[in-house]
Amino acid sequence: MDTPTTTKDTAMEDVSLQPPPGPPPTCQTPSVRVELGKHGEVEGPRTQRCSTCNTTVWTTVTTSTNILGWVWFLLCYCFCCVCALLPFYLKPYKKFEHFCPNCGALLKTTMSRCTSTTIAITVILFFFCFIMFPFVIYIALKYIGLV
């Protein structure tokens, strides 16, 4: 026995087989902008040619704190400031060294650039900490009754 086809079934078949009305859609290629050196260029491993062992390798990256970070740490630590630990967590105070994993040769040393915003925030935090520290000490000594 044949199953009768309904108008609903034939209408669905007709729609799926027919091309859409109108001109075919035009293909537009999306514009892609590649920026090198912005993110991940400094701190991540990269392929680089090692002049010592003459091979192209993925570098091994080590991170350390630069001189500016250590100066910040020592100044803030001398005054018991909480901001003393900032250089160990922020990228502008870091130095990235790329080594060859085969022979261990130092291939490249890079440091993050300080933007004007980073410098401004650092200066504001620095002055805020050194202005607030004596004020907090004065309030504490006043509360104890020594002043």
Side-chain angles (χ1 to χ4, degrees):
M1 291 199 189
D2 283 336
T3 57
T5 59
T6 61
T7 57
K8 187 185 219 182
D9 293 336
T10 57
M12 291 301 282
E13 289 174 8
D14 291 341
V15 169
S16 63
L17 295 177
Q18 294 176 356
T26 58
C27 292
Q28 295 178 348
T29 58
S31 62
V32 177
R33 185 175 172 189
V34 177
E35 293 184 10
L36 296 176
K38 291 283 185 176
H39 305 286
E41 179 71 20
V42 175
E43 65 269 2
R46 59 188 325 179
T47 57
Q48 194 164 351
R49 181 109 177 123
C50 178
S51 59
T52 307
C53 58
N54 289 326
T55 57
T56 302
V57 294
W58 277 97
T59 60
T60 303
V61 182
T62 60
T63 306
S64 60
T65 304
N66 61 17
I67 297 297
L68 182 62
W70 282 106
V71 169
W72 173 270
F73 171 73
L74 291 174
L75 282 174
C76 291
Y77 183 74
C78 289
F79 292 101
C80 299
C81 182
V82 179
C83 296
L85 299 176
L86 280 178
F88 301 113
Y89 297 103
L90 297 178
K91 284 184 188 177
Y93 300 107
K94 296 290 183 180
K95 177 174 59 172
F96 302 98
E97 296 175 327
H98 297 264
F99 291 97
C100 175
N102 296 335
C103 63
L106 178 64
L107 301 176
K108 188 174 187 179
T109 301
T110 54
M111 294 174 55
S112 296
R113 292 189 338 226
C114 289
T115 61
S116 58
T117 306
T118 307
I119 293 172
I121 289 172
T122 304
V123 168
I124 289 169
L125 279 175
F126 187 75
F127 284 121
F128 180 73
C129 291
F130 287 110
I131 290 171
M132 290 303 293
F133 180 72
F135 181 70
V136 169
I137 295 297
Y138 174 76
I139 296 296
L141 292 175
K142 184 100 172 163
Y143 181 74
I144 294 172
L146 295 176
V147 176

